[in-house]
């Protein structure tokens, strides 16, 4: 079975081991220790960690297309946000008549805007199965249409990056409009419960954290399975020499499209897990700067390693939490500096550093092909 | 000089005390004219107003205006006529109606208003309008004649006819004739339509459209035809105006994108900090104006070379500090320069201020150029449009006619060969990047005249600029020009029915679809250079 192949890899076993150990440790420290114990992990921290994990899943999705397919997507924030909005719409419908205006059918912002009926695209979002399907389908469909158009006409490299950026920018402008029916610039918020569980209770928060961790593990294994399969080999070949792969008879655009859609769906799942933990989704997730930030996580962690993306996402976001808390003005300096330093000094990221150390200790270990960029 | 209120009151008291004396000393025609106004009934006041106009007294305009505004009043005790300057609050500042001397403040209870009724109000308005037409200043006369359109009534016809015959200025005469024609049209005279046909004035249009609804079929038909002609002309004007706004918006895009066309098209470097280089240019303008207070025009002119230099130097720093280490890795230059852009933004926020700065628009750039009554072009946009064309022409010259341009093109086409021919490619890289960055600085100087100068200025333009470059075809200056201008016009045409945000979205979607058809833009590079 192709899906089980990654489990035979040492690196994947190690990654899953570390991840599961971390999940278990956090759960234990949160539940078993009293609140005043110095090692106690508060529910606030658990939610924060859950947020990092959803970002990590997003970074894995970006690494799949950037690291193994050579597509620098500056629009993955859009897929993330679409998944988030799908989840947000479900949570919004779960509020029922407990909103400020107490309308049993319409969310608060629609009552505020004097709407008299639910727009058709909100229908069905009161059913969890439909909403969760949409978490996958909404970003998947967008990626399918966009990718089909882009790859068919062989838009690659820099052009593709710029267009993906324009895509997320256009969506941001659209979602900022009140008439769109997605809450305008306030977005969707004030959620109450998910599948009947109170979103404010500690148990639900821990559950969400664990679910995110499991999703990250599954997503990681899925990506790893794609990468080590024959499909993944074709992807790497496309990344390194697209024209040559095409001449060998591969329909390159189909491979690109498939992996791009899978990646978009993973990003959508990440968004859907992010929203209930943060409690809000608004159009700022569509901003181009967020999408570029995701790429930085991957670059810092190390391209084409997958686990590097996870390390990068958690590290950068931890740094962000610390910086914006201690000295908010310095954060953009730090982020900007990271962009410059990582690209100039650490082209293979932290994972590259780790691999370098490991290789020196064990010179015979097999080596994954280094990402090499061919100018367009 | 400002006199404290208590002192002023004292002064007013003194003046009041010696009032009978001064009034006697200054007995003139004015006193009797005003007295006749005051004494008369409403019916007789009309005659009194006529008398004032006929007297030719230079003060008559002020009196009539004050009368119209209810500000011509009589001091109860002394019977003296005063003009109230501002009738707000309990005490009003007043001046003597005859001598114009400052009488300080008076309580509203001390004064008697000289009231008028509606028919007198109408008479006063027309009389004042005619009086305005007698002044020497042509501009003021045009203004007055324009205000008169649609206000003409029977009483004014005779004096206006006289004025029309004596009028030397063609524009004033035309407006007067139109004013009279509107009046005649209201009387039902078909011939008046000919005078009005083709005028874009709103009053003329409304007079014609009410005439088109009249019972007289001949009149209605003539008015209908004239209206159709006017509407045609208005549509044309609106089209021209949309085109103008589109072109001016497009010229801003061209300015913003053309520097990118050089660095991206020629060097293959995606400079995400381009917007921040524009921001530096805009802040240079602001700094220049701080250095030269009171001379915004001079400061703006000096900011043009200064903005170029500042941005070019920053560009050199970016090239030397970051980009030279990322040769041949375009996607990584994107990330690195994005980092630079974040740092520059935050630097401006920290060092100057996170708030927007105001850049003064010099007098010769504000206002608008009136082509006709339906079309006026704002001057600052006109200047920016011209400036963009100048910058474009200058860049064309540099690329086509100078040694630097030749070397740049050589390095672009075949770097190794160019080096073999003795061109110092590294130096060319630096110069190219400095040139592209300097042009971004120029764009910033121009932008400072159109939008707020703030840390986010660059962000607002960077995506649009890349769209223009991609749309136009990378590395092609003409493509950038055509793409920028056409995107501006498309945006402006879409805006009325789609709204600003949706228009922007539609433009983005349009470009995404356009790239399907032509992945390398409007004017793609051909030959070997295209493969590089």
């Amino acid at each position: 079975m192709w899906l089980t192949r990654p489990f035979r890899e040492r690196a994947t076993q190690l990654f899953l081991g570390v991840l599961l150990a971390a999940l278990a440790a956090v759960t234990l420290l949160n539940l078993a220790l009293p609140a005043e114990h110095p090692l106690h992990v508060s529910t606030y921290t658990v939610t924060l960690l859950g947020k990092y994990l959803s970002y990590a899943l997003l970074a894995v999705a970006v690494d799949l297309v950037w690291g193994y397919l050579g597509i620098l997507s500056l629009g993955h924030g859009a897929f993330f946000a679409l998944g988030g909005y799908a989840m947000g719409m479900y949570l919004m419908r779960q509020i029922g008549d407990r909103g400020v205006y107490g309308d049993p059918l319409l969310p608060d912002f629609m009552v505020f805007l004097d709407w008299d009926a639910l727009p058709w695209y909100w229908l069905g979002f009161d059913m969890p199965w439909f909403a969760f399907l949409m978490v996958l389908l909404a970003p998947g469909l967008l990626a399918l249409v966009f990718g089909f158009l882009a790859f068919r006409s062989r838009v690659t490299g820099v052009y593709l990056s710029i267009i993906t950026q324009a895509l997320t920018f256009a969506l941001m402008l659209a979602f900022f409009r009140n008439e769109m029916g997605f809450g305008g610039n306030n977005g969707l918020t004030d959620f109450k419960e998910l599948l009947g569980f109170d979103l404010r209770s500690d148990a639900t928060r821990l559950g969400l954290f664990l679910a995110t961790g499991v999703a990250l593990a599954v997503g990681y294994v899925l990506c790893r399975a794609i990468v080590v399969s024959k499909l993944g080999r074709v992807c790497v070949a496309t990344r390194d020499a697209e024209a040559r792969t095409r001449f060998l008879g591969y329909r390159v655009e189909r491979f690109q499209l498939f992996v791009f859609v899978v990646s978009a769906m993973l990003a959508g799942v990440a968004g859907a897990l992010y929203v209930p933990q943060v409690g809000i989704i608004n159009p700022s997730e569509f901003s181009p700067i967020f999408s570029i930030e995701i790429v930085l996580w991957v670059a810092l962690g190390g391209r084409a390693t997958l686990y590097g993306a996870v390390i990068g996402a958690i590290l950068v976001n931890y740094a962000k939490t610390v910086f914006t808390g201690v000295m908010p003005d310095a954060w953009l300096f730090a982020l900007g500096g990271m962009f410059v330093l990582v690209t100039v000094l650490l082209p293979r990221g932290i994972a590259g550093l780790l691999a370098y150390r490991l290789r020196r200790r064990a010179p015979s270990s097999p080596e994954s092909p280094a990402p090499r960029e061919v100018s367009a | 000089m400002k006199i404290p209120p208590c002192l002023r009151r004292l002064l007013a008291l003194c003046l009041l005390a010696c009032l009978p004396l001064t009034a006697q000393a200054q007995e003139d025609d004015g006193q009797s004219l005003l007295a006749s106004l005051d004494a008369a009934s409403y019916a007789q006041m009309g005659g009194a107003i006529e008398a004032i106009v006929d007297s030719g007294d230079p003060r008559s305009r002020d009196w009539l205006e004050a009368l119209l505004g209810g500000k011509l009043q009589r001091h109860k005790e002394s019977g003296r006529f005063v003009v109230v300057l501002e009738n707000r609050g309990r005490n009003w500042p007043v001046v003597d109606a005859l001598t114009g001397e400052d009488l300080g403040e008076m309580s509203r209870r001390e004064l008697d208003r000289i009231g008028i009724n509606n028919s007198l109000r109408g008479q006063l308005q027309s009389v004042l309008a005619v009086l305005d037409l007698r002044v020497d200043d042509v501009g003021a006369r045009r203004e007055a004649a324009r205000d008169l359109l649609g206000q003409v009534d029977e009483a004014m016809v005779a004096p206006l006819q006289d004025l029309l015959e004596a009028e030397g200025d063609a524009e004033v005469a035309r407006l007067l004739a139109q004013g009279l024609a509107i009046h005649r049209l209201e009387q039902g005279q078909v011939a008046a339509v000919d005078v009005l046909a083709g005028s874009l004035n709103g009053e003329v249009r409304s007079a014609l459209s009410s005439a088109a609804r009249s019972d007289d079929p001949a009149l209605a038909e003539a008015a209908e035809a004239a209206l159709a002609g006017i509407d045609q002309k208005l549509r044309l004007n609106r089209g021209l105006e949309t085109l103008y706004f589109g072109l001016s918006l497009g010229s801003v895009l061209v300015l913003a994108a053309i520097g990118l066309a050089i660095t991206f098209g020629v060097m293959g470097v995606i400079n995400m900090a381009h917007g921040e280089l524009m921001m530096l240019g805009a802040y240079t303008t602001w700094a220049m104006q701080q250095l030269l207070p009171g001379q915004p025009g001079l400061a703006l002119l000096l900011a043009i070379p200064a903005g170029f230099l500042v941005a070019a130097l920053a560009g050199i720093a970016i090239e030397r500090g970051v980009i030279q280490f990322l040769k041949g890795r375009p996607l990584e230059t994107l990330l690195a320069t994005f980092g630079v852009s974040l740092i520059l933004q935050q630097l401006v926020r920290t060092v100057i201020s996170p708030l927007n700065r105001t850049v003064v628009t010099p007098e010769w750039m504000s206002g608008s150029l009136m082509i006709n009554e339906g079309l006026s072009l704002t001057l600052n946009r006109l200047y920016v449009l011209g400036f963009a064309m100048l910058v474009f022409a200058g860049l064309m010259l540099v690329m086509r006619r100078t040694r630097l341009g030749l070397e740049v093109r050589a390095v672009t086409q075949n770097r190794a060969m160019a080096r073999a021919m003795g061109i110092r490619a590294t130096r060319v890289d630096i110069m190219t990047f400095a040139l592209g960055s300097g042009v971004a600085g120029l764009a910033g100087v121009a932008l400072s005249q159109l939008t707020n100068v703030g840390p986010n200025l660059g962000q607002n333009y960077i995506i649009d600029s890349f769209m223009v470059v991609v749309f136009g075809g990378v590395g092609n200056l003409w493509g950038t020009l055509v793409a920028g201008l056409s995107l501006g016009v498309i945006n402006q045409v879409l805006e009325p029915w789609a709204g600003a945000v949706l228009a922007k979205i539609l433009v983005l979607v349009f470009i995404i679809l356009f790239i399907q058809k032509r992945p390398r833009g409007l004017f793609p590079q051909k030959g070997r250079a295209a493969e590089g």
Side-chain angles (χ1 to χ4, degrees), chain A residues 26-310:
Chain A
V26 169
T27 312
L28 217 65
L29 294 179
N30 176 251
L31 290 181
L33 293 179
E36 58 278 359
H37 194 279
L39 282 179
H40 172 77
V41 176
S42 68
T43 306
Y44 169 76
T45 314
V46 168
T47 305
L48 202 61
L49 291 174
K51 190 176 98 173
Y52 294 166
L53 289 184
S54 68
Y55 277 151
L57 181 57
L58 175 61
V60 166
V62 170
D63 195 19
L64 181 67
V65 284
W66 187 33
Y68 295 93
L69 207 50
I71 296 171
L72 178 56
S73 165
L74 300 184
H76 258 59
F79 304 128
F80 179 78
L82 281 181
Y85 265 98
M87 179 58 109
M89 283 159 84
Y90 164 70
L91 295 174
M92 213 65 195
R93 301 286 279 118
Q94 294 307 297
I95 297 175
D97 58 3
R98 282 170 291 176
V100 178
Y101 295 104
D103 192 300
L105 187 65
L106 297 183
D108 276 345
F109 70 87
M110 288 190 194
V111 181
F112 184 71
L113 290 174
D114 272 342
W115 291 30
D116 43 14
L118 211 57
W120 59 268
Y121 44 82
W122 274 75
L123 296 178
F125 273 95
D126 47 342
M127 293 173 282
W129 65 267
F130 181 81
F132 297 160
L133 196 65
M134 279 299 142
V135 164
L136 290 174
L137 284 189
L141 272 179
L142 178 68
L144 189 70
V145 172
F146 180 82
F148 176 75
L149 290 172
F151 300 134
R152 191 192 52 155
S153 56
R154 299 192 194 171
V155 180
T156 50
V158 174
Y159 300 91
L160 194 68
S161 303
I162 292 173
I163 301 189
T164 50
Q165 192 177 22
L167 170 82
T168 180
F169 186 64
L171 282 169
M172 178 177 79
L173 292 179
F175 274 75
F176 263 121
R177 284 160 55 92
N178 278 331
E179 303 91 298
M180 274 286 284
F182 294 109
N185 55 353
N186 294 321
L188 309 176
T189 185
D190 200 22
F191 308 132
K192 306 276 190 233
E193 58 188 32
L194 169 69
L195 294 170
F197 297 104
D198 182 8
L199 273 177
R200 253 163 281 176
S201 81
D202 290 358
T204 315
R205 302 202 145 247
L206 186 65
L208 275 170
F209 163 75
L210 289 175
T212 314
V214 171
L216 174 62
V218 171
Y220 182 88
V221 169
L222 180 71
C223 289
R224 199 65 220 163
I226 290 177
V227 166
V228 296
S229 68
K230 197 179 161 202
L231 166 72
R233 295 279 146 201
V234 179
C235 286
V236 172
T238 310
R239 176 191 74 190
D240 291 341
E242 184 174 333
R244 230 179 285 178
T245 316
R246 214 183 280 280
F247 278 127
L248 286 174
Y250 291 101
R251 297 291 290 270
V252 167
E253 58 275 10
R254 293 188 186 174
F255 293 92
Q256 287 172 323
L257 189 57
F258 176 76
V259 174
F260 191 63
V261 171
V262 168
S263 163
M265 286 176 162
L266 279 179
V269 172
L273 288 163
Y274 167 85
V275 168
Q277 304 195 65
V278 181
I280 186 171
I281 173 83
N282 62 28
S284 67
E285 310 295 335
F286 284 107
S287 74
I289 182 169
F290 174 62
S291 289
I292 298 185
E293 242 188 87
I294 308 168
V295 173
L296 175 74
W297 308 341
V298 178
L300 178 71
R303 279 175 65 186
T305 55
L306 293 183
Y307 64 87
V310 176

Side-chain angles (χ1 to χ4, degrees), chain A residues 149 153 155 158-159 161-163 165-166 170 173-174 288-289 292 295 329 332-333 335-337 339-340 343 347 373 376, chain B residues 264 270 272 326 329-331 335-336 338-339 342-343 346-347 349-350 463 466-467 474 501 505 508 512 515-516 519 532:
Chain A
L149 290 172
S153 56
V155 180
V158 174
Y159 300 91
S161 303
I162 292 173
I163 301 189
Q165 192 177 22
L173 292 179
I289 182 169
I292 298 185
V295 173
D329 284 348
L332 276 187
F333 283 128
L335 189 66
F339 269 111
V340 176
T343 43
E373 205 167 278
Chain B
F264 182 31
I270 308 171
M272 292 296 279
L326 302 170
R329 291 191 284 166
L331 293 181
L335 295 181
F338 184 75
L342 291 183
I343 293 175
Q346 189 58 39
L347 205 62
R349 277 195 201 107
T350 313
I463 292 182
F466 271 116
M467 289 287 108
V474 174
V501 175
I505 295 169
L508 289 172
I512 291 176
I515 293 196
Q516 302 307 307

Side-chain angles (χ1 to χ4, degrees), chain B residues 273-469:
Chain B
H274 190 78
E276 277 59 41
L277 293 171
M278 285 162 59
M279 176 190 79
L280 285 185
Y283 271 102
T284 309
T285 318
W286 171 75
M288 271 291 167
Q289 290 193 342
Q290 300 306 107
L291 287 178
L292 296 169
Q295 286 180 301
L298 181 66
L300 186 62
L301 289 181
L302 287 178
I304 293 175
F308 184 90
L309 270 183
V310 168
L313 288 177
I316 292 177
I318 295 174
E319 208 280 340
R320 285 292 88 189
V322 178
I323 290 170
Q324 65 157 329
F325 303 113
L326 302 170
K327 277 271 137 59
R329 291 191 284 166
L331 293 181
E332 308 210 346
T333 60
L334 188 158
L335 295 181
T337 50
F338 184 75
V340 173
S341 94
L342 291 183
I343 293 175
L344 282 176
Q345 272 177 46
Q346 189 58 39
L347 205 62
V348 166
R349 277 195 201 107
T350 313
V351 175
I352 299 180
S353 157
L355 303 173
N356 285 339
R357 304 274 110 182
T358 35
V359 170
V360 185
T361 304
E363 216 165 289
W364 43 269
M365 268 188 82
S366 47
S368 56
L369 184 67
M370 190 132 154
I371 305 284
N372 59 36
E373 276 161 293
L375 182 64
S376 61
L377 310 179
T378 40
L379 271 180
N380 58 349
R381 290 183 169 269
L382 201 62
Y383 274 98
V384 170
L385 185 64
F387 182 66
M389 296 307 121
L390 274 182
V391 170
F392 177 78
L395 266 185
M396 266 327 231
L397 276 182
V398 169
M399 295 303 272
R400 289 279 161 87
R401 294 261 182 271
T402 63
R403 183 167 182 84
L404 175 67
L406 186 69
E407 291 185 350
V408 167
R409 282 180 290 144
V411 172
T412 320
Q413 287 190 7
N414 192 329
R415 194 180 183 89
M417 187 75 81
R419 286 177 60 115
M421 300 297 284
I423 294 175
R424 281 180 288 174
T426 312
R427 217 197 60 146
V428 171
D429 283 346
I430 300 174
M431 296 298 287
T432 316
F433 205 80
L435 183 66
S437 308
V439 173
L442 290 182
V445 174
L447 269 179
S448 72
Q449 293 301 313
L450 296 181
T451 54
N452 294 323
V453 175
N456 294 330
L457 180 131
Q459 293 261 299
N460 299 332
Y461 284 90
I462 188 72
I463 292 182
D464 285 341
S465 312
F466 271 116
M467 289 287 108
V468 169
V469 174

